[in-house]
Amino acid sequence: MDQDSISPARAAETPQETPAAQAVPAIDVLNVSKLFGEGQSAVRALDDVSVAIGENAFFTLLGPSGCGKTTLLRLIAGFDHPSAGQILLRGEDISELPPNQRSVNTVFQSYALFPHMTVRQNIGFGPKMLGWDKARIDRTVTDMLALVRMEALADRRTDQISGGQQQRVALARALAPRPKVLLLDEPLSALDYKLRKEMQTELKRLQHETGITFIFVTHDQEEALTMSDRIAVMSAGRILQIGSPREIYLHPRERFVADFIGDTNFLAAEVIEAGGGMARLRLAGGGEAEATVPEGVAATGRVTASVRPEQARLVAPGQGALTGRVAGRVYFGTDTLVTLRLADDSAFTLRVQNSLTDGEPPGEGAEAGIALAPGALQVLRD
Amino acid sequence: MARAFEVRRQRGFVTVAILCFIALYAPMVTLVAYSFNAGSSLALWEGFSLRWYGAAWENEAVQEATIRSVVVAVSASVLATAIATMAALGTTRVPHYRGLTAVYALINQPLMVPEIVTGVALLVVFAIVKEATGYHGLFYLIAAHTAFCIPFAYLPIRARLQGMDSRLEAAAADLYASPWAAFRHVTLPLMFPGIIAGAMLAFVISLDDVVITEFVKSAGQDTLPTYMLGQLRRVVTPEINAISTVLLAISVAIVSIFFLVTRKRT
Ligand SMILES: Nc1ncnc2c1ncn2[C@@H]1O[C@H](COP(=O)(O)OP(=O)(O)OP(=O)(O)O)[C@@H](O)[C@H]1O
Ligand SMILES: [Mg+2]
């Protein structure tokens, strides 16, 4: 089950050799670095990145602009080669192979459809280059047209179809040669909101139906959470954390990850005692609380802890781990965001689900207690 | 309310424009008109006739010069286009390298060097080569025409390649096309209109060259334009007008096709 990991934690994450853990990953990136330029002005676009991506997975690279997502994808596709390290495709070193000798296909952000060919010819290009016989090519193209629901437009030129349709053709073209891995570099960023939502569902379906490993790049955390089996969060050329959307959201290991994904409250704290993956914290905002300590995070002295707004509840003053004074409320329909000011003057936001029976949350200036859901408070690596 | 400056609204603009068009086209209209003159004067109209077209058609010197012109223009434009295609690929489909600008300038050198200088230079060099080899054939003319046609063929091809998304070639490689297959199935078909345009431009330029041909040709190697120039020094009849009119028609036709081919599809 757990085939994805970053190098320092790899041993820790796979304690016993389960059969799944022994299986060869679809893509294995081993200590890859990529430098652009030379000497003083060199840019380290990737810095000792290691990640194993399992078969039949929807894997997402998530990170802010310039963190190296495209660079990593280009190395896997073969448009560029690593400065150091290796990339394995089903256990075979492909680091130095040109793109046309790797069973990896790319869906380009700009689609890059061939303008002098019809939709059908575009989809058939890969199989044709692979030297498949004509009957097999025709069958594949027909299947692909059906898969992306483009049968009706098969003989149009690609500049005579809409952006969403071009997107589908680009997908079909990349899937037609049945690659071992499909790379998608922000394929949805050029689409409008509604089409984007539609294509998100479509992509999930395609991954599911084809069983091909998808490596998907985005800087949209919501997109990453809703679509992925696993997510790698990147920053400044490094992978900070790899995990399921739930793990990444609920148990971010680092401040950057917690901050980049969703809304969160950061609490300054001091460790009273720690052990067994747990720690007792004295919160700067007042009160004490039990927190989880992720693998590889040192829980000593002053630390930062985080808790999601929906993992805290308003309770009567004096109860709960923290006490604060309501500084503002914002009504969102399904829920209300309540901001409280704590004893150390820091802000704490919680999300209160609106219901007909519970009445409104306390108004501005009122004193309130904050109860934290068990296991919701988490010590971060700075 | 202040209106933006618009040259069309300035007083006298229309008059000046009309005068310019008259200056441009009146001589040509006259030339074409007198090619149909029944008399043998270039200035005195004596009625409509096709006699000078017939005369030119039957004139053996004209026939010979025409064939030579076409042979030289076809050979030179094919060679120049082949070289220009490679040059265009080498200056657009590669990562930026030091000296790229210099290469670009070198390719376009014939556009900047006065034709007469090129003519004299070739005369001198070819004289040495002729002396050494004893060969006096048409090759020198073809070589010279190829040289000055290269930039004319190069510019439309380069423009076409620059307007082409290089990610298309990356996509082809990604879809298992070898470098050669990617070139043959993607780059070449997409640059083809540029190649056709370049070849046609080169053909027209070669067809009407006088200066360089005058310097390079051996005895008895007149092309149509140099033959006409030679005739002008002797008896001038509307036969010259007739030949000019045909040349004009061919050039206009080719340049029109050139614009049709290079026009962006909307
Ligand atoms: N060819 C190149 N030459 C020099 N530097 C480069 C090159 N390609 C990328 N970089 C640098 O490497 C870093 C990572 O770039 P990359 O394109 O991988 O980022 P990204 O995560 O895809 O960002 P975005 O979300 O904006 O697409 C950036 O600092 C970028 O400037
Ligand atoms: Mg990118």
Side-chain angles (χ1 to χ4, degrees):
Chain A
M1 43 150 275
D2 194 357
Q3 297 182 15
D4 321 311
S5 55
I6 51 175
S7 53
R10 173 174 288 163
E13 278 193 15
T14 52
Q16 318 120 301
E17 296 265 290
T18 63
Q22 278 175 339
V24 179
I27 286 285
D28 206 350
V29 177
L30 297 172
N31 305 97
V32 163
S33 293
K34 179 67 189 175
L35 279 91
F36 289 110
E38 287 160 21
Q40 292 279 300
S41 61
V43 179
R44 194 172 274 272
L46 290 176
D47 189 5
D48 194 22
V49 167
S50 292
V51 51
I53 300 170
E55 293 285 355
N56 192 6
F58 199 114
F59 190 94
T60 298
L61 296 171
L62 173 67
S65 187
C67 71
K69 306 182 295 290
T70 298
T71 305
L72 181 53
L73 229 51
R74 286 175 57 81
L75 295 185
I76 297 174
F79 299 127
D80 239 321
H81 302 285
S83 310
Q86 277 184 326
I87 296 173
L88 310 185
L89 175 63
R90 291 207 180 147
E92 191 192 330
D93 186 359
I94 55 164
S95 317
E96 295 305 323
L97 288 183
N100 58 313
Q101 289 170 24
R102 306 179 176 205
S103 182
V104 172
N105 288 150
T106 306
V107 176
F108 294 84
Q109 186 175 350
S110 58
Y111 312 146
L113 297 176
F114 303 125
H116 58 300
M117 297 182 196
T118 62
V119 167
R120 194 186 291 282
Q121 289 167 331
N122 264 278
I123 298 175
F125 188 85
K128 186 173 154 191
M129 291 300 120
L130 285 172
W132 294 5
D133 62 61
K134 186 147 171 10
R136 185 170 173 210
I137 295 177
D138 287 346
R139 218 174 332 115
T140 304
V141 171
T142 310
D143 289 350
M144 285 300 142
L145 284 167
L147 191 66
V148 298
R149 305 192 182 103
M150 285 289 295
E151 296 100 323
L153 302 175
D155 295 304
R156 291 264 193 101
R157 273 222 325 267
T158 56
D159 53 2
Q160 296 166 331
I161 56 177
S162 75
Q165 291 163 344
Q166 290 182 13
Q167 171 72 78
R168 280 163 209 275
V169 177
L171 268 164
R173 184 180 70 174
L175 286 169
R178 291 215 58 90
K180 298 189 177 112
V181 175
L182 186 75
L183 308 176
L184 305 104
D185 193 355
E186 308 207 26
L188 307 181
S189 61
L191 305 178
D192 64 44
Y193 182 78
K194 191 163 168 293
L195 206 51
R196 202 179 161 118
K197 291 279 154 206
E198 235 177 86
M199 283 308 296
Q200 288 180 1
T201 321
E202 188 85 5
L203 278 177
K204 274 301 271 184
R205 177 180 71 84
L206 284 173
Q207 196 281 315
H208 197 74
E209 284 181 20
T210 57
I212 292 170
T213 298
F214 280 28
I215 304 180
F216 180 84
V217 161
T218 183
H219 56 241
D220 181 339
Q221 45 109 0
E222 191 191 316
E223 199 165 271
L225 289 176
T226 55
M227 299 180 70
S228 321
D229 297 325
R230 299 185 75 76
I231 299 173
V233 183
M234 294 184 68
S235 168
R238 309 187 68 105
I239 292 185
L240 300 182
Q241 188 171 354
I242 301 175
S244 68
R246 194 184 152 83
E247 279 164 12
I248 297 273
Y249 184 79
L250 287 179
H251 303 294
R253 265 207 296 262
E254 313 213 3
R255 188 186 176 107
F256 179 90
V257 177
D259 201 18
F260 191 71
I261 293 164
D263 299 314
T264 202
N265 291 295
F266 292 113
L267 301 171
E270 200 166 345
V271 178
I272 304 171
E273 56 175 335
M278 301 294 289
R280 183 140 196 93
L281 306 181
R282 182 174 297 114
L283 302 172
E288 291 186 4
E290 203 62 50
T292 52
V293 181
E295 205 89 48
V297 176
T300 47
R302 291 184 179 283
V303 292
T304 302
S306 82
V307 59
R308 299 288 180 190
E310 69 280 6
Q311 299 296 331
R313 258 178 327 115
L314 282 175
V315 292
Q319 294 180 15
L322 290 158
T323 306
R325 201 170 281 281
V326 178
R329 290 190 310 189
V330 185
Y331 181 73
F332 275 100
T334 54
D335 41 37
T336 303
L337 277 190
V338 181
T339 307
L340 295 103
R341 208 148 282 290
L342 304 182
D344 64 343
D345 212 33
S346 64
F348 188 101
T349 303
L350 23 63
R351 191 180 285 274
V352 180
Q353 192 146 40
N354 294 328
S355 80
L356 275 176
T357 46
D358 285 0
E360 275 191 65
E364 226 165 291
E367 186 149 287
I370 302 169
L372 305 177
L377 191 63
Q378 156 113 9
V379 177
L380 300 174
R381 178 160 56 195
D382 274 300
Chain B
M1 211 178 78
R3 222 191 329 232
F5 175 80
E6 224 184 293
V7 73
R8 233 156 27 100
R9 296 187 184 279
Q10 300 306 303
R11 206 181 308 150
F13 172 79
V14 175
T15 321
V16 171
I18 289 172
L19 283 175
C20 285
F21 279 117
I22 290 175
L24 273 174
Y25 286 100
M28 255 181 276
V29 171
T30 318
L31 170 101
V32 174
Y34 276 91
S35 72
F36 298 107
N37 195 0
S40 41
S41 164
L42 284 183
L44 201 67
W45 183 253
E46 290 176 43
F48 180 87
S49 143
L50 289 176
R51 84 178 252 222
W52 296 113
Y53 286 89
W57 182 254
E58 265 148 37
N59 184 336
E60 265 176 40
V62 174
Q63 285 172 6
E64 236 182 75
T66 304
I67 290 168
R68 195 171 292 114
S69 268
V70 171
V71 168
V72 170
V74 167
S75 317
S77 56
V78 167
L79 286 172
T81 306
I83 294 168
T85 301
M86 291 188 269
L89 287 169
T91 50
T92 57
R93 281 303 184 262
V94 288
H96 189 90
Y97 53 87
R98 278 170 66 123
L100 186 59
T101 319
V103 170
Y104 182 63
L106 283 175
I107 293 169
N108 288 313
Q109 165 270 336
L111 293 179
M112 293 171 265
V113 176
E115 255 190 290
I116 189 99
V117 175
T118 311
V120 172
L122 288 174
L123 176 75
V124 173
V125 172
F126 286 160
I128 297 169
V129 178
K130 282 176 189 174
E131 185 68 38
T133 61
Y135 172 76
H136 290 265
L138 215 51
F139 165 79
Y140 301 103
L141 262 189
I142 293 173
H145 279 227
T146 301
F148 71 75
C149 282
I150 287 172
F152 294 97
Y154 171 78
L155 290 175
I157 299 172
R158 179 182 131 102
R160 181 83 197 173
L161 274 174
Q162 275 185 327
M164 205 175 112
D165 190 350
S166 63
R167 275 169 296 199
L168 294 175
E169 284 136 325
D174 189 58
L175 292 163
Y176 313 103
S178 63
W180 166 248
F183 176 73
R184 160 139 162 43
H185 292 289
V186 175
T187 317
L188 193 61
L190 286 171
M191 72 190 291
F192 199 67
I195 293 177
I196 294 293
M200 287 194 297
L201 210 53
F203 181 83
V204 171
I205 297 292
S206 163
L207 197 64
D208 81 358
D209 176 72
V210 174
V211 177
I212 292 175
T213 310
E214 256 323 312
F215 280 95
V216 172
K217 72 182 166 75
S218 308
Q221 282 188 345
D222 268 321
T223 61
L224 205 50
T226 59
Y227 166 79
M228 289 158 70
L229 191 66
Q231 285 309 101
L232 288 178
R233 302 202 187 103
R234 294 181 227 148
V235 255
V236 185
T237 65
E239 191 182 334
I240 287 289
N241 296 39
I243 299 169
S244 302
T245 304
V246 172
L247 267 180
L248 179 68
I250 292 171
S251 292
V252 168
I254 291 178
V255 172
S256 304
I257 298 172
F258 170 84
F259 277 115
L260 285 179
V261 171
T262 50
R263 190 181 55 179
K264 278 235 173 79
R265 259 202 298 259
T266 42

